[in-house]
Amino acid sequence: MSGGHNFREDRDSRVKNRYFHKQVGFVDEYGRPSCVGCGRCIEACPASINIIEIISRIREEVKV
Ligand code: SF4
């Protein structure tokens, strides 16, 4: 974050916050996820995490 702030010290809580914000919190607030599936984060991810594939799998498993 700008200014060097880190409100979530551990990686797990940062990942959890990111996914919940985009896929749950935003849906609750605005009726749709904030991820538009553009794939830019997939190209930039150093761990090759594919958010679109992960969300698709989760939605399939929980039938959201
Ligand atoms: S695919 Fe990644 S970069 Fe694109 S909107 Fe979704 S989270 Fe953001």
Side-chain angles (χ1 to χ4, degrees):
M1 295 188 83
S2 65
H5 297 288
N6 183 0
F7 298 104
R8 292 177 176 80
E9 288 296 322
D10 60 287
R11 185 173 185 259
D12 291 352
S13 65
R14 291 195 297 275
V15 171
K16 181 179 176 183
N17 179 67
R18 181 168 185 244
Y19 281 75
F20 269 77
H21 167 71
K22 287 182 175 291
Q23 303 295 333
V24 179
F26 210 85
V27 174
D28 288 347
E29 192 74 24
Y30 302 106
R32 61 185 176 85
S34 66
C35 174
V36 296
C38 71
R40 287 191 316 177
C41 62
I42 298 167
E43 293 175 19
C45 181
S48 300
I49 295 172
N50 184 328
I51 190 171
I52 296 170
E53 185 181 318
I54 291 170
I55 296 302
S56 296
R57 277 201 223 160
I58 292 171
R59 288 187 189 281
E60 185 63 31
E61 285 183 21
V62 297
K63 299 289 184 201
V64 175

